[in-house]
Amino acid sequence: MSAPAPVAPAIELSDVTKTYGSGALAFQALKGIDMRVEAGEFVMLIGPSGSGKTTLLSILGCVLSPTTGTAAIFGEALHGRRESELPRLRLEYIGFIFQGHNLMSALTAEQNVAVPLELRGYSHHAALVEAREVLTSVGLGDKFKKRPEELSGGQRQRVAVARAIAGRPPLILADEPTASLDAESGMQVTQLLKALCTERGHTVICVTHDSRIYHLADRKIFLEDGRIVPEDQAH
Amino acid sequence: MKRPAMAQPVLTQASFFGRVRTMAAIGIRMMFFDRLKLAGTLFGVVFAVLLGNFQAGTFLALLGKNRMFVENAQVDVWITPPGTRQFQGGKPLTDSQLNRARATAGVAWAEPLVVQTAALQLPSGGSEPVSLVGTRRPRFVGGPWNLVRGDTRSLLVPNGVIFEDSEREKLGGLNLGTLRELAGHKVQAVGFTWGLLPFAPAYAFAEQELAREILKVAPDKHTFIMVGVEPGVPATVVRARLQDALEDTRVMTRDEYMKEILTYIITATQIGLSFGLSTFMGVLVGMITVALSMFSSVIDNMRQFGTLKAIGSRTVDLALLLFTQAIIYGVLGSIIGLGAVAGMVEGMRNPQLTPVLLPEAFAITAVAMVGVCLAASLLALVRLIRIEPAMVFR
Ligand SMILES: Nc1ncnc2c1ncn2[C@@H]1O[C@H](COP(=O)(O)OP(=O)(O)OP(=O)(O)O)[C@@H](O)[C@H]1O
Ligand SMILES: [Mg+2]
């Protein structure tokens, strides 16, 4: 029993630009991005500070709309959407991992992981069962009831990974998920992310600065000054 | 190695009630996670509840004092001097007015009442005023109520006067049978009432002939004329007839008189205004406390709210979260505040000026406080709406 593979690519961007502000203050952060990612790929997005990585990720994550160009994930167009449609798209397609863990400090690990599941219509009970399963798969089988403040940085980021992949949204977007971790934990979390996403069939876009984890990528995309550049031209 | 099945779009979505449940649970957990803020916010609500109920309760107590006579006398229609707005005599009414009242259609009976202040001589040498009420036998309309010793018929004892029990000490240690001079006239205590303390001196009761002697009021002069209507005749109809028949008087049914006293207290005195204002201030302080606390909670947890938005909650969902918190603040604050009010009122039970706590006050307070907290949460909501989900990547 296997679901039919999606026909559309996971990501298809064509001449996407993003301009922040307007008039004299306008700033073009993306200057025409063409990009295609197949379902199941683990892609690292690499580039210097200010090159537009977060901007690109925000567009893919349906929290920002492109100024011009066309963008689609799994065949679903993202451009020209009404603001009110975006939350549904995010629930349907995307799991987020942020630079900070961004967990709710009042909730336990399992409650944090259950939130996006409940928003997707899981019953309270089913959400908890799934949350525990995913937490176990990230190696936190004994930390269900711990609040973020009771966990180490690496453990928190693993809860964040669990929250992103719980419910199996097809696209996982991670913005420097290891930035706040030491090298050791950063490597562990990335390896875990890679292994789980391969096993569960997620497509991953992972922004990173950390050259020590580049080798985990199926493919690397280099961004500079709002444009995609070939690897040999990247700084 | 077999290529894994690709993850598919998640097409299910929470129902409205599912979202309410999820958001309410998050809201409650956030509230109880920050205990200090919870306590501070509740303090604001409790403050408003305490102040509001004490003000309203004291106002009701005050109103009760002003209306107790009209409220308790078994009278359908009151004929009072012109311009009367309280239970207070003015220009005396006359015998001819009494007779015309008796001759009016629908009137079953009409009785005069005499009320005036008199000084009771104390054994120590000083004197204390009482509001002496002269009620006519054999009907004794406008007579004493709430008797703890003796009964109305005790007024038939020669020179018998019924006093207020809670004033016995103040009146020089009165007991049943005590002899005293009331405005120079020898009287004997023949009974005691409980709680008959208007703002004027405490009520005392005597048969009308005795009262007229003590107060030196002529037999054809009356402070009020009280009317009972014939069965089946509406009091308002008789009131209208009496008003037509009796110029130079103000005629009111019992209910109208009660309302008039209320209106008088609210409009003609500063009391209504001052009580209203302090209640309003209390509620305002509570509201501001809740508003600022919820607002600062949104500011403190900006990233977390942004994350909730980024992972797919809509603004309405976050509104549900805030509203849950507001409702709980309102309900919890009301329960704690009303418990404190009830305890304090119980602790000060005496016939002086104990705030009156009506059962309705509990329901009104809870509903009002929930409303206040919901309104207060709008400030936080405005801030929440402005959170961009994209901020979580920054
Ligand atoms: N909301 C905004 N308003 C105006 N300019 C913005 C905004 N967000 C980003 N920018 C600008 O757009 C450019 C790209 O920003 P972006 O955050 O995408 O870079 P980045 O590659 O993620 O950088 P970093 O590695 O520092 O996170 C930067 O020059 C930045 O100053
Ligand atoms: Mg960035």
Side-chain angles (χ1 to χ4, degrees), chain A residues 53-54 99 175-176 207, chain B residues 393:
Chain A
K53 305 181 297 291
T54 296
Q99 183 169 344
D175 195 0
E176 301 189 45
V207 170
Chain B
F393 284 117

Side-chain angles (χ1 to χ4, degrees), chain A residues 20 27 29 48-55 176 209, chain B residues 394:
Chain A
Y20 288 112
F27 177 81
S49 183
S51 58
K53 305 181 297 291
T54 296
T55 304
E176 301 189 45
H209 270 133
Chain B
R394 258 167 249 147

